[in-house]
Amino acid sequence: MKTMASDRGTGKSALSSLRKHGSWNKRVLLLLYVALELIAVHSSAVLGTLELQLDEEQPAGTIVGDISAGLPPASPPRFSSSRTTRAPAWAATCTSTRPRASSRPPRKRATFTIPEQTAVGTRFSLDPAPDADRDQLTTQGYLIKDGNVGQAFLLETRRGSNKVLYLDLVVNAILDRETRSSYTLLLEAFDGGSPKKTGQMILDVTVQDVNDNAPVFNQSRYHATITENLQPGSNILQVFASDADEGANGLVLYEINRRQSDPERYFVIDPRSGVITLNKPLDYEMRRVHELVVQARDNASHPEVTNAFVTIQVRDYNDNQPTMTIIFLSEDGSPRISEGAQPGQYVARISVTDPDYGEYANVNVSLEGGDGKFALTTKDNIIYLICVDQILDREERDSYELHVMATDSGTPPLRAESSFTIQVTDVNDNPPAFDRPEYRQTIPEVVYPGSFVLQVTARDKDQGPNGDIRYSLLRDHGTHSDWFAIDPQTGIITTSSQLDYETDPRPSVTVVATDSGRPPLSSTAVVNVLLQDINDNEPVFGSNFYNVTIKENTPAGTCFLEVGPTF
């Protein structure tokens, strides 16, 4: 016989065990404790066991079981206030009816830095999401739920010998910091429970800059006209270049290339601002034109360098000299002309005056430069017109340097000069041109729809919308072109359906490249795809039964039946 104290001790021991091995609600534990105390006080000396089952995570107040159902028949418990009364002793055993739920991986935030232009396929290990459960209830996979702009990344997993599902972040597209400098990926881990338990993590991916951009001047050639009496220290003009990179990779510094220009150091340039300043006095009679080669370099450890050319015209200083006024006849008044302009079309109007000799008196105007593409005409020696003299082709040359001089008849003669650049604007006169007329590619017949086949490239010599290219496919079911699709921007061809070597081992498509001109121009190229056969068909006899009659005197070695499989 066990005493009441030992019975109560048994109840407390069971309660303590439940606290250690289960996440039980405090109110449920209290109810069990009271029940066990009552059993210890009002039970007989006979020890019995009552098994109770309870689903985990039940709310407070859930009924666990009926203790009286475990008492012997015809022996109802006697409840008394006296603790000396002997009664049957019972032990309560509670069992969870379903496995403990999977732990949810904690949601956290992590940062990651990847250099731009990292090769596609490069993988980076991430911390896995641990799950205390086992087998099917532990972590089964990972997903990128949000933030994967342009499908720049994908996830790959591998199960380790310790049953942990490890995770790799794989670069899936070329990264370009100048296009996108960061990604915020929402990662989710899930287990195999029903319903599934999930955990999430925010991964901030920073695209680290690489010095992959050279400085770019806002114009390739600069012009300035100064008088020979300009004082040293005077600012002449400012060049400007920008670099799309960041930090030191994007910091632009300027210098004059002394090996190629201005070895006498008539001019200096501020390395930060790009302002060119006169360094010492000029002499018009010694040199009328100074050509400078200005370099812009970034501040990277391996800098990129770009050149621009600066033409500085030195004007003779005299008391009175002719004055020219030039009006350009384009729609916006700038020095430009369409490449479609015909010979005789006017580019600019020039008027001249000379205070020494009265208005327009004895002034001769001449035109230099332009490689013979432009001419100067006048009817009264007062108003001069610059006109197109030969057919222009922007793709051959998009700008011309012209120099206009007005010279009076004085002794010595005085002159006015003006230099400017005529920009040739584009006309859509060139269709896109593929880098090859025919492409070939070999792929297995079992690739999934959406798989990469190859990329075609076409270029258009025209400018702006006239040179913007979009790609498309000519649909011809006879060539199974419907097996493929093309990205209109990049020219990347992918599979759009399942391929079948037995249906067509050599499908082909015709790619059309069309520019955005008005009217648009286009060209085509053929893509021939060679499918690699995969053993995905089994041999089949032509018939399930063959019936043959043969003569008894047929010589040995005579072939009397040919059977073979069909594929």
Side-chain angles (χ1 to χ4, degrees), residues 376-533:
L376 189 68
T377 182
T378 182
K379 293 183 178 179
D380 54 6
N381 295 323
I382 298 175
I383 302 298
Y384 291 81
L385 295 167
I386 299 175
C387 62
V388 177
D389 196 46
Q390 296 179 14
I391 293 294
L392 302 173
D393 185 359
R394 189 203 65 82
E395 288 70 35
E396 177 182 344
R397 185 170 177 179
D398 61 358
S399 65
Y400 293 87
E401 304 294 328
L402 298 182
H403 182 65
V404 180
M405 292 188 300
T407 306
D408 63 24
S409 301
T411 304
L414 301 179
R415 68 180 62 182
E417 301 178 1
S418 180
S419 298
F420 50 88
T421 302
I422 296 292
Q423 298 290 336
V424 181
T425 59
D426 187 62
V427 171
N428 191 27
D429 56 350
N430 290 278
F434 285 92
D435 55 3
R436 64 182 73 171
E438 182 175 330
Y439 296 82
R440 290 182 179 273
Q441 183 64 290
T442 301
I443 59 175
E445 68 171 328
V446 294
V447 296
Y448 290 103
S451 298
F452 175 84
V453 178
L454 58 80
Q455 183 178 18
V456 298
T457 303
R459 294 175 174 82
D460 195 318
K461 295 180 180 179
D462 292 320
Q463 195 177 43
N466 297 333
D468 292 339
I469 297 175
R470 294 182 65 85
Y471 301 93
S472 61
L473 298 180
L474 285 179
R475 293 302 181 188
D476 183 356
H477 294 290
T479 62
H480 294 99
S481 61
D482 56 342
W483 287 358
F484 305 92
I486 190 169
D487 186 290
Q489 301 292 336
T490 65
I492 293 177
I493 297 177
T494 56
T495 59
S496 61
S497 63
Q498 191 65 47
L499 309 179
D500 188 2
Y501 176 89
E502 288 70 25
T503 301
D504 187 355
R506 295 173 175 268
S508 66
V509 292
T510 299
V511 182
V512 181
T514 306
D515 63 30
S516 300
R518 295 185 179 181
L521 300 177
S522 63
S523 60
T524 61
V526 175
V527 177
N528 293 314
V529 180
L530 303 180
L531 298 184
Q532 293 176 334
D533 188 31

Side-chain angles (χ1 to χ4, degrees), residues 187-214:
L187 307 185
E188 183 177 275
F190 59 88
D191 63 18
S194 180
K196 293 181 178 180
K197 297 288 186 179
T198 63
Q200 293 183 338
M201 180 182 76
I202 297 174
L203 182 62
D204 294 314
V205 179
T206 299
V207 181
Q208 186 180 36
D209 186 59
V210 174
N211 190 29
D212 57 349
N213 290 280

